[in-house]
């Protein structure tokens, strides 16, 4: 009885001493999930800054869609260009939450796979913003 109590207390102490997010940032600083998370965060912040400094915030009109066959398809206000980084932010938050959830549950492969998809989404949005800037 006392041995079971001691084991349970030790398990409680071990659980309480775990780092934040189940040790996501402590097991290896160069783990692919950590690297992909940091790269995705850097890309995402740069997306907001690039759109802010190149297209600006104002009432000026910009080209939002261009087709090589038809030409300009959609013209809108400059603030509408911020919808792309906002959608990327939604993906960033959801994928980060899911990745951390799977990592805490011990599913390291699924967590890494989710962070790969997070990185790919950020890269796709970066390509879309680069095309938007080149058209304008």
């Amino acid at each position: 009885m006392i041995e079971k109590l001691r084991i349970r207390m030790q398990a409680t102490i071990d659980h309480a001493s775990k780092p934040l997010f189940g040790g996501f940032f402590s097991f290896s600083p160069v783990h692919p999930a950590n690297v992909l998370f940091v790269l995705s965060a850097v890309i995402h912040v740069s997306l907001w800054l690039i759109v802010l400094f190149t297209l600006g915030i104002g009432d000026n009109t910009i080209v939002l869609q261009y087709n090589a066959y038809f030409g300009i398809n959609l013209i809108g206000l400059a603030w509408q260009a911020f919808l792309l980084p906002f959608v990327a932010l939604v993906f960033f938050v959801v994928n980060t939450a899911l990745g951390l959830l799977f990592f805490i549950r011990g599913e390291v492969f699924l967590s890494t796979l989710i962070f790969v998809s997070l990185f790919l989404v950020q890269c796709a949005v970066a390509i879309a913003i680069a095309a938007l800037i080149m058209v304008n």
Side-chain angles (χ1 to χ4, degrees), residues 50-67:
I50 288 170
V51 171
L52 179 66
F53 289 123
T54 56
L55 300 175
I57 303 173
D59 292 336
N60 54 342
T61 57
I62 61 170
V63 175
L64 293 176
Q65 186 176 4
Y66 180 82
N67 188 341

Side-chain angles (χ1 to χ4, degrees), residues 19-136:
L20 189 63
F21 297 122
F24 180 71
F25 292 108
S26 65
F27 64 95
S28 172
V30 292
H31 189 273
N34 288 346
V35 172
L36 290 170
F37 173 74
V38 170
L39 285 176
S40 298
V42 168
I43 290 172
H44 186 73
V45 169
S46 65
L47 291 177
W48 284 100
L49 293 175
I50 288 170
V51 171
L52 179 66
F53 289 123
T54 56
L55 300 175
I57 303 173
D59 292 336
N60 54 342
T61 57
I62 61 170
V63 175
L64 293 176
Q65 186 176 4
Y66 180 82
N67 188 341
Y69 187 70
F70 295 115
I72 296 173
N73 290 343
L74 184 62
I75 296 175
L77 298 175
W79 68 265
Q80 291 174 324
F82 286 96
L83 292 176
L84 280 171
F86 179 74
V87 170
L89 176 67
V90 171
F91 276 102
F92 185 82
V93 169
V94 170
N95 280 355
T96 301
L98 285 174
L100 288 174
L101 178 72
F102 281 125
F103 185 81
I104 290 170
R105 290 186 177 182
E107 300 288 340
V108 178
F109 176 73
L110 285 176
S111 174
T112 305
L113 192 64
I114 287 175
F115 283 111
V116 167
S117 70
L118 172 65
F119 177 72
L120 293 176
V121 165
Q122 297 298 324
C123 288
V125 173
I127 291 171
I129 287 176
L132 184 67
I133 290 170
M134 285 175 32
V135 167
N136 287 299

Side-chain angles (χ1 to χ4, degrees), residues 1-8:
M1 177 81 168
I2 294 175
E3 184 64 24
K4 286 183 181 179
L5 182 62
R6 187 186 67 77
I7 291 172
R8 181 170 283 227

